[in-house]
């Protein structure tokens, strides 16, 4: 049995491969770079995981939310030789909800399995969006066929108009789930943190509730900046019971609707 993930919005993680290249400002203080460097591992080197890790989900009988890849990007060009085997694992485990997140939506269409069709029921496909400049990723995601879709707005490092129209349509209308989180990090050194204002989180939630109520919202953490401002014990500000009463309106942890048995 694999250990339960510490990521609040998933049950377990499966890293079919590890290592990544930074592609945008959200990557600047990447937790994977921090953790891998701490263990003496080159975070830029893309390596396939052991068979034990690669195929572990095949042994899990009970339905789980499974996040892949927390230590890489599922659609990296460098992982092309392993991806078909990863798709086979995902296809063979329809009892799980596979949460596939990327910062490279432009690479997705050419790397979907041949029998993908309009999407597999067990896959919810997502993109990361850190500020307004990268909201175009939501538009690119909206054009990809998928059973369900989500945005990971983490780290949130600038205000976002979640209702933005691109090419005449609102990407949010094609999205089922939005995760929001401030950045965590250190005050000094190579892996710091940037400001995340409560107002930015509030605006996203208010806009969704008013104009896109079909979207489920999950506020994962407020980030280190707010942890210090609010004098919280958890430096990530991810312990929701610690948040002051005045922030009750953003204590929201909803999951996307699932059509899988046992996932709610």
């Amino acid at each position: 049995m694999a250990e339960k993930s510490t990521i609040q919005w998933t049950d377990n993680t499966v890293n079919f491969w590890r290592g990544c290249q930074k592609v945008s400002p959200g990557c600047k203080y990447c937790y994977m770079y921090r953790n891998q460097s701490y263990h003496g591992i080159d975070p830029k080197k893309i390596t396939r995981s052991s068979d034990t890790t690669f195929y572990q989900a095949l042994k899990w009988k009970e339905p789980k939310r499974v996040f892949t890849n927390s230590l890489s990007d599922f659609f990296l060009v460098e992982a092309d030789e392993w991806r078909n085997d990863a798709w086979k694992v995902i296809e063979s485990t329809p009892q799980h909800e596979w949460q596939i997140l990327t910062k490279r939506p432009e690479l997705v269409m050419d790397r979907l399995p041949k029998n993908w069709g309009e999407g597999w029921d067990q896959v919810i496909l997502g993109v990361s969006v850190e500020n307004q400049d990268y909201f175009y990723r939501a538009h690119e995601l909206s054009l990809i066929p998928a059973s369900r879709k989500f945005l990971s707005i983490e780290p949130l490092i600038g205000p976002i108009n979640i209702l933005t129209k691109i090419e005449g349509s609102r990407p949010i209308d094609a999205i089922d789930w939005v995760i929001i989180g401030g950045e965590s990090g250190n005050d000094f050194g190579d892996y710091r943190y940037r400001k995340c204002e409560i107002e930015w989180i509030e605006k996203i939630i208010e806009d969704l509730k008013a104009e896109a109520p079909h979207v489920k919202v999950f506020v994962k953490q407020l980030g280190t900046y707010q942890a210090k401002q609010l004098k919280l014990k958890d430096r990530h500000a991810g312990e929701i019971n610690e948040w002051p009463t005045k922030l009750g309106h953003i204590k929201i942890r909803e999951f996307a609707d699932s059509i899988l048995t046992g996932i709610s």
Side-chain angles (χ1 to χ4, degrees), residues 217-234:
V217 180
F218 193 108
V219 182
K220 177 192 169 194
Q221 63 182 44
L222 306 180
T224 301
Y225 175 78
Q226 289 299 332
K228 290 180 175 293
Q229 296 294 308
L230 299 170
K231 297 180 171 54
L232 305 180
K233 293 179 181 178
D234 176 14

Side-chain angles (χ1 to χ4, degrees), residues 4-11 218-221 234 236-240 253 255:
K4 184 174 176 63
S5 174
T6 58
I7 300 172
Q8 296 94 325
W9 46 264
T10 197
D11 296 320
F218 193 108
V219 182
K220 177 192 169 194
Q221 63 182 44
D234 176 14
H236 303 287
E239 178 49 64
I240 199 167
R253 286 188 171 169
F255 286 94

